[in-house]
Amino acid sequence: MSVAMELAGKGAGFVNPNPMVGAVIVKDGRIIGKGFHMRYGGPHAEPNALASCTEDPAGATMYVTLEPCCHYGKRPPCTDAIIAAGISRVVAASGDPNPLVSGKGLSILREHGIEVSCGLMEKEMRMLNRVFFKYITDGKPWISMKAAMTADGHIAAVTGDSKWVTSEQSRHAAHVLRGRHMGIMAGSGTVRADNPMLNCRIEGMKSPIRIIVSSSASLPAGSAILDTAKDYRTIVAHGEEASRENIVLLEKAGVEPMACLSENGKVDISDMVSKLGKAGIDSILLEGGSELNWSFVEKGLADEYYFFIAPKIIGGRTAKTPVGGEGFPLMRDAGELVFESVRKIGNDILMHAFSKKNGHLLPEAGRSGHE
């Protein structure tokens, strides 16, 4: 199952909004086939593993990270392929929360005389597929906040200069995060201040859908976002008060306007997140700025955090921090996190954490579940 889990991870950034799935086929104690879901719309892990078999898989055991599907979607049911191949035993890490599958896939296999067990390394699988489990359950995207800051907690100097806070190694790691998320989000203020591209510049990885939050549906002419909107899918989430003139200008540039409810003159973040989920976007990397980050923290909408910390002190009482806004009035109101890891990247430190509500995802030492 560990091998299947490692295979599943290779689909990160390519299979959204489907889950990452890996499958390993074992016969007489030997691995005879391996496969994973490589990209959205392509064959699933199970038929890929069967197609790679070096010998007849009849009588073999299949280890798969998620309950095999049993319905027709873009591909035929994986249960059909497993039954036809003569697999005698299926070990799944977890059931599939998709209502079209949930329990039905395993039941069909049992009905055809295949021995089935479920729960081996389930916690690790849920960690790997946390985006899918949230999205398929409540239809809302998984939100990861990423910020680069100095050791004294600033994301820019008092002048607004921010190139570069962290090292080249950290910036590379941030681009990997971009490639693993379906969308990337920033506020219009960040577009004006930094003129970012918000793409993924790692060969072989996909660039995310760019989502800009602008209450007035206004972006500066000549900005990298507008100039490349026909090259990279770009959405501007705007409020009810946005003028038709601004919306038309965005559309002419190739931008997709997304009308959202307004709250205190700004885009209602909760409504925006719901609409993005309905648009099929299962995960978003939030790259601020600080006011937009606060909106997500205040409403408890951020699920995961990546803090890149550089060994620099820049000071400045007005220098921006990763999370701005009014702030919580009392320490007991603070948003609580659960740290998953702290590691060095070059001379920087990456602190990876989850919102406390997602602390249950962190695997305990050793393997969980049973066979």
Side-chain angles (χ1 to χ4, degrees), residues 206-225:
K206 291 171 62 178
S207 283
I209 299 166
R210 304 182 303 187
I211 305 158
I212 309 301
V213 184
S214 172
S215 298
S216 62
S218 174
L219 294 180
S223 63
I225 294 292

PDB file of all heavy atoms in Angstrom, residues 206-225:
ATOM      1  N   LYS A 206       1.551  21.994 -14.359  1.00  0.00           N
ATOM      2  CA  LYS A 206       0.507  22.857 -14.892  1.00  0.00           C
ATOM      3  C   LYS A 206       0.453  24.177 -14.134  1.00  0.00           C
ATOM      4  O   LYS A 206       0.696  24.222 -12.924  1.00  0.00           O
ATOM      5  CB  LYS A 206      -0.854  22.158 -14.787  1.00  0.00           C
ATOM      6  CG  LYS A 206      -1.017  20.964 -15.694  1.00  0.00           C
ATOM      7  CD  LYS A 206      -2.303  20.205 -15.377  1.00  0.00           C
ATOM      8  CE  LYS A 206      -3.535  21.056 -15.583  1.00  0.00           C
ATOM      9  NZ  LYS A 206      -4.785  20.290 -15.324  1.00  0.00           N
ATOM     10  N   SER A 207       0.116  25.245 -14.846  1.00  0.00           N
ATOM     11  CA  SER A 207      -0.140  26.525 -14.177  1.00  0.00           C
ATOM     12  C   SER A 207      -1.576  26.537 -13.664  1.00  0.00           C
ATOM     13  O   SER A 207      -2.488  26.050 -14.341  1.00  0.00           O
ATOM     14  CB  SER A 207       0.074  27.695 -15.137  1.00  0.00           C
ATOM     15  OG  SER A 207       1.453  27.955 -15.312  1.00  0.00           O
ATOM     16  N   PRO A 208      -1.795  27.089 -12.471  1.00  0.00           N
ATOM     17  CA  PRO A 208      -3.150  27.118 -11.912  1.00  0.00           C
ATOM     18  C   PRO A 208      -4.030  28.174 -12.572  1.00  0.00           C
ATOM     19  O   PRO A 208      -3.542  29.082 -13.255  1.00  0.00           O
ATOM     20  CB  PRO A 208      -2.904  27.458 -10.441  1.00  0.00           C
ATOM     21  CG  PRO A 208      -1.640  28.260 -10.459  1.00  0.00           C
ATOM     22  CD  PRO A 208      -0.803  27.691 -11.568  1.00  0.00           C
ATOM     23  N   ILE A 209      -5.325  28.041 -12.370  1.00  0.00           N
ATOM     24  CA  ILE A 209      -6.277  29.065 -12.795  1.00  0.00           C
ATOM     25  C   ILE A 209      -6.059  30.281 -11.907  1.00  0.00           C
ATOM     26  O   ILE A 209      -6.052  30.174 -10.677  1.00  0.00           O
ATOM     27  CB  ILE A 209      -7.724  28.556 -12.647  1.00  0.00           C
ATOM     28  CG1 ILE A 209      -7.946  27.323 -13.519  1.00  0.00           C
ATOM     29  CG2 ILE A 209      -8.726  29.662 -13.005  1.00  0.00           C
ATOM     30  CD1 ILE A 209      -9.221  26.564 -13.175  1.00  0.00           C
ATOM     31  N   ARG A 210      -5.869  31.447 -12.504  1.00  0.00           N
ATOM     32  CA  ARG A 210      -5.612  32.659 -11.728  1.00  0.00           C
ATOM     33  C   ARG A 210      -6.928  33.307 -11.313  1.00  0.00           C
ATOM     34  O   ARG A 210      -7.799  33.534 -12.155  1.00  0.00           O
ATOM     35  CB  ARG A 210      -4.743  33.617 -12.529  1.00  0.00           C
ATOM     36  CG  ARG A 210      -3.436  32.975 -12.988  1.00  0.00           C
ATOM     37  CD  ARG A 210      -2.543  33.928 -13.738  1.00  0.00           C
ATOM     38  NE  ARG A 210      -3.181  34.514 -14.905  1.00  0.00           N
ATOM     39  CZ  ARG A 210      -2.537  35.273 -15.801  1.00  0.00           C
ATOM     40  NH1 ARG A 210      -1.258  35.524 -15.648  1.00  0.00           N
ATOM     41  NH2 ARG A 210      -3.177  35.765 -16.841  1.00  0.00           N
ATOM     42  N   ILE A 211      -7.058  33.576 -10.019  1.00  0.00           N
ATOM     43  CA  ILE A 211      -8.279  34.171  -9.478  1.00  0.00           C
ATOM     44  C   ILE A 211      -7.893  35.473  -8.769  1.00  0.00           C
ATOM     45  O   ILE A 211      -7.132  35.458  -7.797  1.00  0.00           O
ATOM     46  CB  ILE A 211      -8.972  33.219  -8.488  1.00  0.00           C
ATOM     47  CG1 ILE A 211      -9.236  31.858  -9.147  1.00  0.00           C
ATOM     48  CG2 ILE A 211     -10.268  33.833  -7.967  1.00  0.00           C
ATOM     49  CD1 ILE A 211      -9.414  30.737  -8.160  1.00  0.00           C
ATOM     50  N   ILE A 212      -8.376  36.591  -9.284  1.00  0.00           N
ATOM     51  CA  ILE A 212      -8.080  37.895  -8.697  1.00  0.00           C
ATOM     52  C   ILE A 212      -9.354  38.439  -8.055  1.00  0.00           C
ATOM     53  O   ILE A 212     -10.423  38.430  -8.664  1.00  0.00           O
ATOM     54  CB  ILE A 212      -7.580  38.897  -9.756  1.00  0.00           C
ATOM     55  CG1 ILE A 212      -6.439  38.284 -10.575  1.00  0.00           C
ATOM     56  CG2 ILE A 212      -7.139  40.190  -9.089  1.00  0.00           C
ATOM     57  CD1 ILE A 212      -5.232  37.864  -9.773  1.00  0.00           C
ATOM     58  N   VAL A 213      -9.228  38.891  -6.827  1.00  0.00           N
ATOM     59  CA  VAL A 213     -10.374  39.452  -6.109  1.00  0.00           C
ATOM     60  C   VAL A 213     -10.328  40.970  -6.238  1.00  0.00           C
ATOM     61  O   VAL A 213      -9.389  41.618  -5.771  1.00  0.00           O
ATOM     62  CB  VAL A 213     -10.356  39.036  -4.622  1.00  0.00           C
ATOM     63  CG1 VAL A 213     -11.613  39.557  -3.918  1.00  0.00           C
ATOM     64  CG2 VAL A 213     -10.259  37.520  -4.494  1.00  0.00           C
ATOM     65  N   SER A 214     -11.335  41.531  -6.905  1.00  0.00           N
ATOM     66  CA  SER A 214     -11.420  42.977  -7.099  1.00  0.00           C
ATOM     67  C   SER A 214     -12.881  43.384  -6.998  1.00  0.00           C
ATOM     68  O   SER A 214     -13.680  43.089  -7.890  1.00  0.00           O
ATOM     69  CB  SER A 214     -10.857  43.372  -8.468  1.00  0.00           C
ATOM     70  OG  SER A 214     -11.104  44.740  -8.730  1.00  0.00           O
ATOM     71  N   SER A 215     -13.240  44.051  -5.940  1.00  0.00           N
ATOM     72  CA  SER A 215     -14.643  44.435  -5.723  1.00  0.00           C
ATOM     73  C   SER A 215     -15.198  45.231  -6.895  1.00  0.00           C
ATOM     74  O   SER A 215     -16.345  45.062  -7.295  1.00  0.00           O
ATOM     75  CB  SER A 215     -14.779  45.249  -4.432  1.00  0.00           C
ATOM     76  OG  SER A 215     -14.382  44.489  -3.312  1.00  0.00           O
ATOM     77  N   SER A 216     -14.361  46.080  -7.494  1.00  0.00           N
ATOM     78  CA  SER A 216     -14.814  46.949  -8.584  1.00  0.00           C
ATOM     79  C   SER A 216     -14.565  46.361  -9.967  1.00  0.00           C
ATOM     80  O   SER A 216     -14.846  46.998 -10.974  1.00  0.00           O
ATOM     81  CB  SER A 216     -14.110  48.308  -8.481  1.00  0.00           C
ATOM     82  OG  SER A 216     -12.706  48.141  -8.617  1.00  0.00           O
ATOM     83  N   ALA A 217     -14.017  45.139 -10.021  1.00  0.00           N
ATOM     84  CA  ALA A 217     -13.684  44.488 -11.304  1.00  0.00           C
ATOM     85  C   ALA A 217     -12.696  45.339 -12.099  1.00  0.00           C
ATOM     86  O   ALA A 217     -12.783  45.454 -13.317  1.00  0.00           O
ATOM     87  CB  ALA A 217     -14.942  44.222 -12.132  1.00  0.00           C
ATOM     88  N   SER A 218     -11.740  45.924 -11.382  1.00  0.00           N
ATOM     89  CA  SER A 218     -10.786  46.828 -12.019  1.00  0.00           C
ATOM     90  C   SER A 218      -9.357  46.326 -11.813  1.00  0.00           C
ATOM     91  O   SER A 218      -8.925  46.102 -10.680  1.00  0.00           O
ATOM     92  CB  SER A 218     -10.927  48.235 -11.430  1.00  0.00           C
ATOM     93  OG  SER A 218      -9.924  49.096 -11.931  1.00  0.00           O
ATOM     94  N   LEU A 219      -8.637  46.149 -12.923  1.00  0.00           N
ATOM     95  CA  LEU A 219      -7.225  45.791 -12.876  1.00  0.00           C
ATOM     96  C   LEU A 219      -6.443  46.800 -13.711  1.00  0.00           C
ATOM     97  O   LEU A 219      -6.954  47.299 -14.716  1.00  0.00           O
ATOM     98  CB  LEU A 219      -7.003  44.371 -13.417  1.00  0.00           C
ATOM     99  CG  LEU A 219      -7.595  43.223 -12.608  1.00  0.00           C
ATOM    100  CD1 LEU A 219      -7.273  41.884 -13.277  1.00  0.00           C
ATOM    101  CD2 LEU A 219      -7.066  43.230 -11.182  1.00  0.00           C
ATOM    102  N   PRO A 220      -5.210  47.096 -13.326  1.00  0.00           N
ATOM    103  CA  PRO A 220      -4.440  48.118 -14.063  1.00  0.00           C
ATOM    104  C   PRO A 220      -4.107  47.687 -15.486  1.00  0.00           C
ATOM    105  O   PRO A 220      -3.701  46.549 -15.730  1.00  0.00           O
ATOM    106  CB  PRO A 220      -3.182  48.282 -13.210  1.00  0.00           C
ATOM    107  CG  PRO A 220      -3.074  47.025 -12.414  1.00  0.00           C
ATOM    108  CD  PRO A 220      -4.474  46.582 -12.164  1.00  0.00           C
ATOM    109  N   ALA A 221      -4.291  48.594 -16.432  1.00  0.00           N
ATOM    110  CA  ALA A 221      -3.923  48.332 -17.826  1.00  0.00           C
ATOM    111  C   ALA A 221      -2.426  48.062 -17.905  1.00  0.00           C
ATOM    112  O   ALA A 221      -1.634  48.701 -17.211  1.00  0.00           O
ATOM    113  CB  ALA A 221      -4.286  49.528 -18.697  1.00  0.00           C
ATOM    114  N   GLY A 222      -2.048  47.087 -18.730  1.00  0.00           N
ATOM    115  CA  GLY A 222      -0.643  46.757 -18.874  1.00  0.00           C
ATOM    116  C   GLY A 222      -0.113  45.810 -17.819  1.00  0.00           C
ATOM    117  O   GLY A 222       1.072  45.454 -17.851  1.00  0.00           O
ATOM    118  N   SER A 223      -0.959  45.383 -16.878  1.00  0.00           N
ATOM    119  CA  SER A 223      -0.509  44.435 -15.860  1.00  0.00           C
ATOM    120  C   SER A 223      -0.285  43.071 -16.500  1.00  0.00           C
ATOM    121  O   SER A 223      -0.898  42.716 -17.511  1.00  0.00           O
ATOM    122  CB  SER A 223      -1.542  44.322 -14.737  1.00  0.00           C
ATOM    123  OG  SER A 223      -2.766  43.805 -15.234  1.00  0.00           O
ATOM    124  N   ALA A 224       0.621  42.298 -15.903  1.00  0.00           N
ATOM    125  CA  ALA A 224       0.939  40.974 -16.438  1.00  0.00           C
ATOM    126  C   ALA A 224      -0.299  40.079 -16.465  1.00  0.00           C
ATOM    127  O   ALA A 224      -0.465  39.268 -17.382  1.00  0.00           O
ATOM    128  CB  ALA A 224       2.045  40.335 -15.601  1.00  0.00           C
ATOM    129  N   ILE A 225      -1.168  40.239 -15.483  1.00  0.00           N
ATOM    130  CA  ILE A 225      -2.380  39.419 -15.425  1.00  0.00           C
ATOM    131  C   ILE A 225      -3.273  39.685 -16.638  1.00  0.00           C
ATOM    132  O   ILE A 225      -3.719  38.758 -17.322  1.00  0.00           O
ATOM    133  CB  ILE A 225      -3.171  39.691 -14.125  1.00  0.00           C
ATOM    134  CG1 ILE A 225      -2.377  39.214 -12.902  1.00  0.00           C
ATOM    135  CG2 ILE A 225      -4.539  39.014 -14.174  1.00  0.00           C
ATOM    136  CD1 ILE A 225      -2.209  37.726 -12.781  1.00  0.00           C
TER     137      ILE A 225
END
